[in-house]
Amino acid sequence: MKLETGEDIICLVTYGSHLYGTATENSDKNFRGIFMPLKQDIILNRKVAPKRPGVDDTEYFSIYRFIDLALQGQTIALDMLFAPEEAILISSPVWEKMRENKERFLFKDMSAFVGFARDQAKKYSVKGNRLNEADTFLRVLDSTDPEARMITIWDELPVGLYLEYTDDDIQGIPQYRALNRILKATYKVSYVKEMISGVIADYGNRARKAKKADGADWKALSHAVRAPLEVIELYRNRTITFPLKNRKLILKIKKGEMPFRKVINLIDDLVVKTERDKNMSGLPEAPDIEFWENFLYLEIMEYLKE
């Protein structure tokens, strides 16, 4: 089969929630595929953009781009490679060869796979208690004369994961660390309050809302749980099972039926587990780039001879 623009279709795979087993009545159908660029584009070394034929939510990548994504350990490519037979709508000998050798894409540090989860955990939790501790610190400042020096409330400052007394500076002035900012006992309270307020503002409105589970992007959070669960299965079993083994948990999160803080803690825990399982996986340090470069060379040469 060919795209409307003439390129040969290498494969087309059901993607997204209908692959994961987490679709709801509002879920769109998503499809991802691979195409072989036109011969003149290959010979002239033209950059070939993804193709979106406008049928449902469908996107095709060139074989060059797909292999590059897979070698990076990107979720989209690995989900396609491990999709079950019933999810493959269009296949080809090239696609079957890629699936037969998919383990050659696997490597130890598949950080691209869990990067989204790590970003979500940072965005919402801001490393757990940081926002809560910031609020506690600001309450102490709010009850103090803004023109006073910090030394006047030095013994009243709260202590926590991100709030602590530290060593004096070289001049012997007491110092305190708040949210990774060093504060001196000689600073005015008004100055410190302005500084810490700015730090909190940098976390963004979404993070502050998330502290109350208000405005959380549950769909994004469900993906942030899904990604590390998939990579943990890859590390342990060299495969990803579809529909996902944990689809009920992921769907529950997607619907907003799990306490927000519990979800954030789960994401943090899963990211830690990926690091642990990575070191126990026995996978190589890098994917088999030489194999895939040779594969691509042979397939392109064969295609150009046709």
Side-chain angles (χ1 to χ4, degrees), residues 75 112-117 221-233 244 250 270 274:
T75 312
F113 211 110
V114 295
F116 176 80
L221 288 170
S222 72
H223 287 310
V225 171
R226 171 188 59 79
L229 283 172
E230 286 186 55
V231 81
I232 286 170
E233 185 178 8
L244 297 172
I250 296 167
L270 288 172
T274 61

Side-chain angles (χ1 to χ4, degrees), residues 242-255:
F242 294 106
L244 297 172
K245 293 180 178 180
N246 300 96
R247 58 187 178 276
K248 291 182 179 179
L249 168 66
I250 296 167
L251 187 57
K252 187 175 181 180
I253 295 169
K254 184 178 179 180
K255 292 181 176 180

Side-chain angles (χ1 to χ4, degrees), residues 87-153:
I88 300 174
L89 307 180
I90 300 176
S91 187
S92 68
V94 176
W95 177 238
E96 290 307 317
K97 288 179 192 175
M98 294 174 74
R99 295 184 71 215
E100 288 171 7
N101 291 282
K102 56 183 176 288
E103 285 196 23
R104 293 179 180 269
F105 283 117
L106 304 183
F107 60 106
K108 184 179 291 185
D109 189 15
M110 305 191 65
S111 56
F113 211 110
V114 295
F116 176 80
R118 190 177 288 113
D119 289 344
Q120 289 299 313
K122 288 180 180 178
K123 179 189 295 182
Y124 285 108
S125 71
V126 198
K127 292 298 182 184
N129 296 323
R130 196 175 295 178
L131 275 174
N132 289 326
E133 291 192 6
D135 284 345
T136 300
F137 183 59
L138 279 178
R139 282 197 294 272
V140 175
L141 300 182
D142 286 338
S143 62
T144 306
D145 179 358
E147 295 302 311
R149 301 288 173 174
M150 290 294 293
I151 191 64
T152 61
I153 55 170

